[in-house]
Amino acid sequence: MKRLFPAALMASMAALPAALVLLPQAALAHPGHGAATGAEAGFLHPLMGADHILAMVAVGLLAALKGGRALWALPGSFLALMSAGAGLGMSGVALPHAETAIALSIVVFGLAAIVGLRAPVALLAAVVGFFAVFHGYTHGAEMPDTASGLSFGLGFLIATALLHGAGLALGAAGTRIGASRGAPALGAVVTGAGLALLALPA
């Protein structure tokens, strides 16, 4: 019975990249949220795009698979640098190819789970932080005109932290399968999902 749960988990996750290929282009869009303002709009914004959701969950997943200091260093790096990126977006600074970088981040996080777990935590945190700038930029650039910058930012930070938590839980389940099998399998699913998003037409 114990073997059935990991098998079911892997099977369900393996279907994720294929499902993403079938998503409409709207999955990559981050539209305004009507009359929503402040923290409400900020909280909803990361949840409106499959790319953001996957990347933020992937950070938690990678942190859990790495373990140790990575459990707080990777999510912390993402949250801090995402905030900096949001500031760039709110101030109107141009950051080209942000959406491509966001999809690419999912591929990189997945590959790190497959082959990069022996890398120093500081290096993984730097990579995570680099891509977090692009995620934050799109949040800030697409902030509704009616939203307050501070409360909007607080909302998407909370949503991001929750998505990291989901990834941490998923990674913990993967490590129970066994580090030798769990990390490559979960990393392959994340990488496939990122490649699927990159393949979607612009």
Side-chain angles (χ1 to χ4, degrees):
M1 188 70 179
K2 291 181 178 179
R3 295 183 179 179
L4 291 177
F5 174 72
L9 176 65
M10 291 297 102
S12 61
M13 290 182 64
L16 183 57
L20 286 171
V21 173
L22 300 177
L23 285 174
Q25 181 62 18
L28 290 175
H30 307 283
H33 303 292
T37 60
E40 179 188 356
F43 185 87
L44 291 174
H45 202 266
L47 307 179
M48 298 299 291
D51 46 1
H52 286 303
I53 293 173
L54 283 167
M56 293 169 187
V57 170
V59 169
L61 169 64
L62 181 59
L65 294 175
K66 178 66 175 175
R69 293 188 299 116
L71 292 172
W72 58 265
L74 269 58
S77 176
F78 193 97
L79 290 169
L81 273 296
M82 185 181 71
S83 298
L88 294 176
M90 291 177 184
S91 63
V93 174
L95 191 61
H97 310 298
E99 290 292 352
T100 300
I102 288 171
L104 183 61
S105 71
I106 303 168
V107 177
V108 172
F109 298 158
L111 290 175
I114 298 172
V115 300
L117 288 180
R118 293 186 180 180
V121 172
L123 176 59
L124 292 175
V127 171
V128 165
F130 170 78
F131 284 109
V133 172
F134 293 94
H135 287 269
Y137 173 80
T138 60
H139 293 322
E142 296 167 0
M143 182 181 73
D145 293 336
T146 55
S148 162
L150 181 60
S151 57
F152 181 87
L154 179 62
F156 75 66
L157 283 173
I158 292 172
T160 299
L162 290 174
L163 290 170
H164 287 336
L168 286 167
L170 184 61
T175 55
R176 284 198 293 270
I177 297 171
S180 62
R181 290 182 296 164
L186 292 170
V189 171
V190 172
T191 302
L195 291 173
L197 286 172
L198 283 171
L200 288 174

